[in-house]
Amino acid sequence: MIAAYFSIIRRELLLARRQGGATLSAMLFFILTVTLFPLGVGPAAAVLERISAGTIWVAALLAVLLSLDRLFQADLEDGTLEQMMLLPMPVSVLVLAKVTAHWITTGLPLIIASPLLGVFMQMSTDGYLTLVIVMALGTPTMNLIGAIGAALTVGVRRGGVLLSMIVIPLYIPILIFGVAAVEASVQGYSAAAHMLILTAMLLGALVLAPIAAGWALKLAME
């Protein structure tokens, strides 16, 4: 089972390397969305600092959402998904492997870019480390929750809109605590409580999301 898990991750990473479009589009969307805010609200450092955490988090949320609709769709279209589901392992392991690869190719680049965009948005230096940590906790949670929506809408025509309606309400707690953690650090308070809540969300999603997405895929394939 473990060998199959890592084989699927390796396959997904090779496909992402050859295609590259999804990773690049998510990253460009993230960067462009953040860089547009100074043009809209003005270059005042105090204003940009005040909205920096929220802006980066909202842009990251939308970038993750942008890449979710192809999580299972491409494999469904060429028949690979059906063959994978016949492997002697739980479907939840398949989902977890695909989500892991998806996070490596989309979530991890967002984490790396977030401090640089924090500089651009005049974020206080006290918030950089917290931003990276909460992004590292929040982006995999968003990927795991998004996998449920992607599985529910796989094969649905124009499923991107339905996917957004399913997962965005579930992303709101992650957004709230992620922004609150950064703002607490910037203001000199401890962000430990917010990080613990995000960690609990990640652990809960890690256990429940692959199972729920696996059930949804089975229903979609019937």
Side-chain angles (χ1 to χ4, degrees), residues 12 19 22 65-77 98 102 150 154 163:
E12 296 296 320
Q19 298 171 356
L65 187 63
L66 179 68
S67 62
L68 284 176
D69 60 340
R70 301 297 294 176
L71 185 59
F72 303 112
Q73 189 65 38
D75 287 337
L76 176 68
E77 292 172 355
K98 290 184 72 66
H102 185 265
V154 67
L163 172 61

Side-chain angles (χ1 to χ4, degrees), residues 11-130:
R11 171 189 178 272
E12 296 296 320
L13 294 178
L14 286 173
L15 288 175
R17 180 181 177 183
R18 291 173 183 173
Q19 298 171 356
T23 302
L24 184 60
S25 61
M27 176 61 77
L28 287 177
F29 180 87
F30 179 53
I31 294 173
L32 290 175
T33 301
V34 175
T35 53
L36 284 174
F37 272 85
L39 299 177
V41 301
V47 176
L48 293 178
E49 182 181 3
R50 180 66 184 87
I51 67 172
S52 58
T55 300
I56 292 172
W57 261 102
V58 170
L61 185 154
L62 295 175
V64 171
L65 187 63
L66 179 68
S67 62
L68 284 176
D69 60 340
R70 301 297 294 176
L71 185 59
F72 303 112
Q73 189 65 38
D75 287 337
L76 176 68
E77 292 172 355
D78 61 15
T80 304
L81 183 60
E82 184 176 359
Q83 297 300 317
M84 285 183 171
M85 293 180 67
L86 296 176
L87 293 173
M89 67 176 182
V91 181
S92 58
V93 176
L94 166 63
V95 172
L96 186 59
K98 290 184 72 66
V99 171
T100 302
H102 185 265
W103 177 80
I104 292 173
T105 56
T106 57
L108 188 57
L110 300 185
I111 296 171
I112 295 171
S114 59
L116 301 177
L117 293 176
V119 175
F120 181 77
M121 291 293 294
Q122 304 295 326
M123 179 183 289
S124 172
T125 55
D126 295 331
Y128 291 165
L129 180 59
T130 302

